[in-house]
Amino acid sequence: MSSAAPETLTPEQKLALIKRNLQEVLGEADLVKILAERDISLYWGTAPTGRPHVGYFVPMTKIADYLRAGCHVTVLLADLHAFLDNLKSSIELVKARTKYYENVVKAMLSAIGVPLDKLKFVVGSSYELTPEFSMDNYRLASIVTEHDAKKAGAEVVKQVESPLLSGLLYPGMQALDEEYLKVDAQFGGVDQRKIFTFAEKYLPKLGYKKRIHLMNPMVPGLQGAKMSSSDPDSKIDILDSEKDVVKKVKKAFCEEGNIEDNGVLSFAKSVLFPISSLQSETPEFVILRPEQYGGNAVYNDVESLERDFAEGKIHPGDLKKSVAAAINALLEPIRAHFATPEMQALLLEAYPPPAAKPKFVKQSKKHNKAPAAAATDAVNAVEEKLSNAEI
């Protein structure tokens, strides 16, 4: 990848950076047209719900690419969306979690060498509660069918048996974000695709232009499924300890020779190689192993790593150890950032420990009778003695 200043890059070089490692682009013709005239503006949004995991490094590496391509990048902290998504964040917690997410995103970007001075951070409620946005939200509600709203949020909004109205508002508000942030494009995971096509359909009906949509692939979890903040076994938390990282990776599914359903190998492909490519023209990933088994092996591309793993030249245990070491190296400066009393207090405010469940004290039975029955019998016995006593 070129490390040249954005102003020295050709439109074709900028396009290559923007598209690198993406799974899909909707509106590429418009993207090419804009780049021929000027740099594009885009936003990436995140709803402050569960604690962020290492899968967030995927959008972080793309934000680095966008900045190098001269894009004007906004990070949207979608606080109201967090509340609307089946109360994943209560209204009481969402403010603290928004601040926590901002600190996490900044720490992650700093850890991979991305300058923060060219980034713009916006909190959703700063404009989503204005009369203008509210009116547009009502206008949108008057033309969107329940079917379209539910379909749009199917991959993003938590699905429950009796869906709340809030989940149906979610896609429309995300579509309106594109207009109110005044961007050319929105960037997100491929799980956002239905919301993106929803926005392309409905924004023009309000008189607003259709935007470009950039999608990165989803990072598989350690057990092979999607990495999710709500599934602790599938993900590594940004603030997990070194020992926890090693333990989680060690437990991950990593069948010998299997390159199709392998969360550990997929993480190296989706996260570690792209991050390495930010620091060097030639990315590098090192398999750590004892000399008696061939010593360390350096890989400069994913294809070689996958081929050797498929052929049994890399043992699953060595791959796990190497990926865990690479993750811990990434997380070390982030852990240090959050080790301060101020950050620890913020973490506790954003994610307070669950209230302890009241302990049930089992009452002892007497003569095989329920406690309440035994107590009644005792009272009756005392009353009988009193009535028979001589005064």
Side-chain angles (χ1 to χ4, degrees), residues 170-185:
Y170 189 112
M173 291 180 65
Q174 185 169 335
L176 288 173
D177 288 337
E178 297 179 347
E179 173 64 24
Y180 279 77
L181 291 172
K182 302 301 178 185
V183 294
D184 301 305

Side-chain angles (χ1 to χ4, degrees), residues 98-114:
T98 300
K99 188 176 180 181
Y100 174 75
Y101 263 60
E102 181 176 357
N103 276 274
V104 166
V105 169
K106 288 180 176 179
M108 292 179 74
L109 290 169
S110 296
I112 60 175
V114 179

Side-chain angles (χ1 to χ4, degrees), residues 35 92 112 118 129 140 168 180-181 185 217 228-229 235 264 278 304 330 340 345 352 381:
L35 286 175
E92 293 78 20
I112 60 175
K118 295 182 180 180
L129 297 177
L140 197 58
L168 300 178
Y180 279 77
L181 291 172
S228 169
S229 296
K235 56 111 179 185
V264 180
L278 295 176
S304 299
L330 275 175
T340 64

Side-chain angles (χ1 to χ4, degrees), residues 273 283-287 289 297-301 304-305 308 314:
F273 272 96
E284 181 178 289
F285 176 68
V286 181
I287 290 290
R289 59 189 175 194
V298 178
Y299 289 88
N300 301 120
D301 58 80
S304 299
L305 180 68
D308 281 4
I314 301 174

